[in-house]
Amino acid sequence: MQRPLVPLVVAAALLCAGCSGGSDSGSGSGSARGAEKSGNASASRSAADHGAAVRAAVAATKKTSARIDERIEIGDGTTEYVVSVKGDFDWADAAGRLAVSLRNPAVPGKTSPRMDEIFADGTVYVGGFAELAGSWGSIRRDEAEAHYALRAPMNDPEHVLRQVAQMRRISRVGEETVNGTPAVHYRGVLADETVTLRMAKDMRAKIDSAREQIGGITVYADVWIDRKGQLVRTRLDWPMGAAGVKATMNLADHGKPVRAKAPDPGKVVPMPNLGGPLPG
């Protein structure tokens, strides 16, 4: 996980149009240009419509709650790590409880590091560590930063929704079934500023450096929207040759009650900065 970013393999396709002489070439070119303009306008309208559908689904999801089951796959070409984030989150009340674990699938019998999170009163509380002996660390939710690519600050599900709401070049993939629920699948890409949204300065510098070396990065974004207009799955994917990062978040049981109470103040230790594989 500490290896440098692997350059992307970039393939370019060059489209060439030939010209032929003749008395009727002007009329044909005009028709072609007209058709091209019409096609481009139609594509732009479709992309705008798809973007509106995605943003509407994000807005609808943020008015309710859901059960979260997220899997973040991180590989460097030789070793893969999986971060699991599971629990309940209420966007409307800005509250939730999540359990986070890290494992190496190649070592199935090994005990995984684990962390508990509580989102309440504008603060994220972290616990479950043996060294804390029942105490909780805390950080203001709006001050938390992401320290890894495609990780949300403190695994905040709202951050993921904010990113997919900014998808660009969106296309409709088709209708699929997600965990037994019919849904429409949309795919797009994230702009550079969306990829580095609320990212720690040192990690942002690494990504900027990689972008300069390889001439650009491409992070794909996918969402699945159910018949009620709510998100049932999101996916962010940054392929880097043999390496890469992929974060898939499933959302279910929309509208379920979420109980998230802040720990006893006497057991809370403020932490100005929290980073690492588990907090993100």
Side-chain angles (χ1 to χ4, degrees):
M1 294 174 68
Q2 300 300 321
R3 297 188 179 189
L5 295 174
V6 180
L8 298 173
V9 177
V10 180
L14 302 179
L15 302 179
C16 300
C19 297
S20 60
S23 61
D24 62 346
S25 62
S27 174
S29 297
S31 299
R33 284 194 295 269
E36 182 180 358
K37 289 180 180 179
S38 176
N40 289 341
S42 177
S44 297
R45 286 195 298 270
S46 296
D49 292 343
H50 299 331
V54 171
R55 291 189 296 273
V58 170
T61 303
K62 290 173 69 174
K63 293 178 180 179
T64 183
S65 61
R67 176 167 53 85
I68 303 295
D69 188 349
E70 185 176 17
R71 176 185 174 92
I72 304 164
E73 301 164 81
I74 309 162
D76 63 2
T78 58
T79 305
E80 181 185 51
Y81 293 89
V82 175
V83 178
S84 297
V85 182
K86 298 184 178 183
D88 304 316
F89 199 87
D90 189 327
W91 287 273
D93 287 344
R97 292 189 66 104
L98 301 173
V100 188
S101 63
L102 170 69
R103 65 186 179 88
N104 180 348
V107 190
K110 187 175 180 180
T111 302
S112 303
R114 188 179 181 282
M115 179 182 75
D116 296 319
E117 292 183 313
I118 298 175
F119 291 74
D121 305 326
T123 301
V124 185
Y125 301 92
V126 296
F129 301 108
E131 57 269 25
L132 288 180
S135 296
W136 292 77
S138 71
I139 185 171
R140 284 183 54 85
R141 187 183 178 198
D142 58 1
E143 293 179 356
E145 294 181 316
H147 296 84
Y148 298 89
L150 305 194
R151 293 295 302 275
M154 302 305 298
N155 305 294
D156 192 337
E158 186 165 356
H159 183 81
V160 180
L161 267 57
R162 187 174 302 145
Q163 287 181 305
V164 298
Q166 298 178 25
M167 288 166 55
R168 298 182 177 182
R169 306 206 312 260
I170 303 172
S171 61
R172 186 182 188 274
V173 178
E175 297 185 8
E176 302 174 9
T177 299
V178 177
N179 297 324
T181 300
V184 178
H185 179 187
Y186 294 92
R187 173 172 295 154
V189 297
L190 299 185
D192 294 344
E193 59 267 24
T194 305
V195 174
T196 58
L197 184 65
R198 291 188 61 186
M199 183 173 282
K201 184 177 180 180
D202 60 341
M203 187 60 192
R204 191 183 302 115
K206 291 179 182 178
I207 290 183
D208 288 343
S209 176
R211 184 185 300 113
E212 292 176 0
Q213 292 178 24
I214 61 182
I217 63 175
T218 301
V219 172
Y220 300 96
D222 294 75
V223 299
W224 287 258
I225 303 173
D226 68 9
R227 291 175 178 173
K228 295 181 179 179
Q230 298 172 322
L231 296 174
V232 290
R233 175 178 291 167
T234 69
R235 175 174 294 149
L236 304 181
D237 186 14
W238 185 2
M240 294 177 275
V245 183
K246 182 187 294 184
T248 303
M249 182 171 69
N250 290 296
L251 302 90
D253 298 336
H254 292 79
K256 69 172 297 182
V258 175
R259 296 176 176 83
K261 183 180 179 181
D264 185 328
K267 296 183 178 180
V268 175
V269 179
M271 296 181 175
N273 185 30
L274 279 172
L278 292 177

